[in-house]
Amino acid sequence: MMLRIPALLDASGVAVIRGIIDAAAWTDGNVTSGSQSAQAKRNMQLPEKSPAARQAGDLIMAALEKNGLFFSGALPLKIFPPLFNRYEGGMNFGTHIDNSVRFVPGTPVRVRTDLSATVFLTDPADYDGGELVVQDTFGQHSVKLASGDMILYPASSRHHVTPVTRGARVSSFFWIQSMVRDDGARTMLFDLDNAIQGLRRKVGDTEELITLTGFYHNLLRRWADA
Ligand code: NI
């Protein structure tokens, strides 16, 4: 499932983050790549341990914590500390699949990458190109969202970023280990949760809704690692 999270950050939240990261020192993006994706990747990145990356990353983590749509769609167990990249002057990232397991630097924590996330931090009118293109069994999906929006997509999918031919595309990117590792099971839980919320708004908490809500939690209990 691909899921857009609109306005994860509002305009002032984006401005604060941009203020922190734009003033920091950027380096070649290949520092986080596996050997295959290193050949495909041409972008700039903030070093993972840089104070600016950690300060801005904490602001994104705080926004994720407050976002119900993110929780319902991702059912997060662990979140890799957000990273930041920038594409400009024709930079791109060729087709690749993200590494399956990532170590959080300086810690013993490993994150299985069930979901990949990109938070757009530039107004789309300010750059050309820079679409995130995700391939799945339904074909190719081109994603270029408003500043502050986030896209979640299965980390198992092939994807690429098209060349940025005008301006600069600044984003945050990271990975999520979900409590429910299977994308199909997680998607069914998300659909069920949405249907229950919609019914509750229409008819209130009926006996049947209590049963359905129990059904959701019992499926989650069956499938979740917590
Ligand atoms: Ni990737």
Side-chain angles (χ1 to χ4, degrees), residues 138-208:
F138 290 103
Q140 295 207 357
H141 307 277
S142 187
V143 182
K144 184 172 181 174
L145 301 180
S147 183
D149 286 6
M150 174 167 77
I151 187 78
L152 280 176
Y153 59 101
S156 56
S157 59
R158 290 158 58 102
H159 56 275
H160 65 273
V161 176
T162 65
V164 172
T165 55
R166 177 183 64 88
R169 172 200 196 263
V170 176
S171 310
S172 176
F173 66 102
F174 51 96
W175 301 273
I176 296 117
Q177 179 172 337
S178 177
M179 291 188 282
V180 177
R181 73 190 294 167
D182 180 73
D183 187 65
R186 196 184 322 111
T187 301
M188 285 195 286
L189 286 169
F190 179 66
D191 289 344
L192 181 57
D193 189 23
N194 279 330
I196 288 170
Q197 301 304 333
L199 267 179
R200 177 170 289 137
R201 283 191 293 273
K202 277 187 189 161
V203 301
D205 269 318
T206 62
E207 195 66 30
E208 292 83 355

Side-chain angles (χ1 to χ4, degrees), residues 96-98 113-116 135 153-159 183:
H96 65 281
I97 291 177
D98 293 346
T113 59
D114 297 321
L115 289 158
S116 297
Q135 300 170 26
Y153 59 101
S156 56
S157 59
R158 290 158 58 102
H159 56 275
D183 187 65

Side-chain angles (χ1 to χ4, degrees), residues 20-196:
I20 294 167
I21 63 176
D22 288 356
W26 295 69
T27 56
D28 188 293
N30 274 322
V31 287
T32 57
S33 305
S35 59
Q36 186 194 31
S37 60
Q39 297 166 26
K41 187 179 192 181
R42 293 195 302 131
N43 66 9
M44 303 295 288
Q45 199 167 302
L46 274 190
E48 296 186 40
K49 289 184 179 173
S50 81
R54 296 295 33 97
Q55 191 186 350
D58 286 348
L59 294 174
I60 290 182
M61 294 287 268
L64 293 172
E65 261 174 44
K66 290 189 289 191
N67 193 288
L69 181 60
F70 169 72
F71 187 85
S72 177
L75 295 172
L77 178 61
K78 298 181 202 171
I79 301 174
F80 194 92
L83 302 173
F84 298 87
N85 62 18
R86 189 175 79 216
Y87 296 79
E88 61 193 338
M91 289 178 180
N92 73 316
F93 198 159
T95 301
H96 65 281
I97 291 177
D98 293 346
N99 285 358
S100 51
V101 178
R102 292 199 169 261
F103 289 82
V104 178
T107 77
V109 176
R110 285 173 300 206
V111 177
R112 187 187 64 232
T113 59
D114 297 321
L115 289 158
S116 297
T118 298
V119 182
F120 290 78
L121 297 173
T122 311
D123 186 328
D126 291 345
Y127 64 101
D128 290 333
E131 283 94 0
L132 168 68
V133 181
V134 179
Q135 300 170 26
D136 66 16
T137 52
F138 290 103
Q140 295 207 357
H141 307 277
S142 187
V143 182
K144 184 172 181 174
L145 301 180
S147 183
D149 286 6
M150 174 167 77
I151 187 78
L152 280 176
Y153 59 101
S156 56
S157 59
R158 290 158 58 102
H159 56 275
H160 65 273
V161 176
T162 65
V164 172
T165 55
R166 177 183 64 88
R169 172 200 196 263
V170 176
S171 310
S172 176
F173 66 102
F174 51 96
W175 301 273
I176 296 117
Q177 179 172 337
S178 177
M179 291 188 282
V180 177
R181 73 190 294 167
D182 180 73
D183 187 65
R186 196 184 322 111
T187 301
M188 285 195 286
L189 286 169
F190 179 66
D191 289 344
L192 181 57
D193 189 23
N194 279 330
I196 288 170

